[in-house]
Amino acid sequence: MKEKNENLLAQNRKARHDYFIKETLEAGIALTGTEIKSVRARRITLKDGYIQIINGSAFLENVHISEYKQGNRYNHDPLRSRRLLLHKNEIRRLAKAAEERGITIIPLKVYLKHGFAKVLIGLAQGKKQYDKRETIKKRDQEREIRRKYRV
């Protein structure tokens, strides 16, 4: 577990608050040289990101990777769409799931694995306001129980 946390570069904390995560999948990201340097420096934001499937390829959209400071003229566009490296079967399964009503594909985490940048993507279904309140209530109750037994 500790090894995973050291390699964690970015996390979409609001995803589990706003969505029910039905399934997760690991994918590689096709990045340019200055992008990977910025990602390793943890200058990436997943907040409003989503995955879109176009012509049998999966793309990571609306994820901000800041420009690399020493990148000069070879720098990248911070909001460009980035291709995800997945098998065709996985892409087909994601496309089929995304066609369902209320299902979206979102990035949950970006981390390094064996020197390569990976993204953990999730099939998510949006929560209603009352679901969010219920989740918060349940979490507070569990915290209170743990506090009582700890003393």
Side-chain angles (χ1 to χ4, degrees), residues 30-90:
L31 299 172
T32 64
T34 56
E35 282 176 330
I36 189 63
K37 288 177 182 246
S38 290
V39 167
R40 287 176 189 267
R42 292 180 166 82
R43 299 182 45 81
I44 179 172
T45 306
L46 298 175
K47 187 177 173 186
D48 298 323
Y50 61 94
I51 284 87
Q52 191 172 31
I53 298 178
I54 304 168
N55 295 333
S57 295
F59 290 94
L60 185 62
E61 303 282 344
N62 210 25
V63 170
H64 188 276
I65 298 177
S66 298
E67 289 186 347
Y68 185 58
K69 289 182 182 175
Q70 289 82 26
N72 61 42
R73 69 178 184 213
Y74 298 110
N75 250 329
H76 59 275
D77 178 27
L79 284 174
R80 79 175 185 90
S81 60
R82 293 158 182 96
R83 187 170 187 192
L84 294 180
L85 307 173
L86 291 164
H87 293 283
K88 282 185 182 181
N89 295 344
E90 294 171 331

Side-chain angles (χ1 to χ4, degrees), residues 1-150:
M1 247 347 239
K2 186 177 181 183
E3 189 178 315
K4 193 80 149 178
N5 288 339
E6 288 176 4
N7 294 333
L8 185 66
L9 302 173
Q11 187 171 11
N12 190 351
R13 293 174 185 254
K14 230 164 145 66
R16 298 205 187 264
H17 181 263
D18 292 339
Y19 299 99
F20 291 114
I21 307 299
K22 294 185 173 247
E23 186 182 340
T24 60
L25 188 68
E26 182 181 81
I29 316 170
L31 299 172
T32 64
T34 56
E35 282 176 330
I36 189 63
K37 288 177 182 246
S38 290
V39 167
R40 287 176 189 267
R42 292 180 166 82
R43 299 182 45 81
I44 179 172
T45 306
L46 298 175
K47 187 177 173 186
D48 298 323
Y50 61 94
I51 284 87
Q52 191 172 31
I53 298 178
I54 304 168
N55 295 333
S57 295
F59 290 94
L60 185 62
E61 303 282 344
N62 210 25
V63 170
H64 188 276
I65 298 177
S66 298
E67 289 186 347
Y68 185 58
K69 289 182 182 175
Q70 289 82 26
N72 61 42
R73 69 178 184 213
Y74 298 110
N75 250 329
H76 59 275
D77 178 27
L79 284 174
R80 79 175 185 90
S81 60
R82 293 158 182 96
R83 187 170 187 192
L84 294 180
L85 307 173
L86 291 164
H87 293 283
K88 282 185 182 181
N89 295 344
E90 294 171 331
I91 293 172
R92 272 191 231 120
R93 194 167 41 119
L94 286 174
K96 187 176 179 183
E99 288 174 1
E100 289 181 35
R101 182 168 159 72
I103 301 290
T104 187
I105 311 168
I106 56 171
L108 301 173
K109 296 178 183 178
V110 173
Y111 53 92
L112 290 177
K113 185 174 180 182
H114 304 296
F116 295 102
K118 302 284 184 177
V119 62
L120 183 70
I121 58 179
L123 287 174
Q125 184 175 19
K127 283 186 182 179
K128 301 275 191 247
Q129 189 65 35
Y130 58 84
D131 290 330
K132 293 178 189 178
R133 284 192 213 112
E134 192 175 305
T135 304
I136 292 169
K137 184 178 170 184
K138 203 179 294 182
R139 186 177 59 221
D140 288 344
Q141 288 172 348
E142 288 172 3
R143 188 180 300 134
E144 200 62 36
I145 290 170
R146 276 188 269 131
R147 206 176 280 152
K148 285 181 182 178
Y149 284 115
R150 197 177 339 139

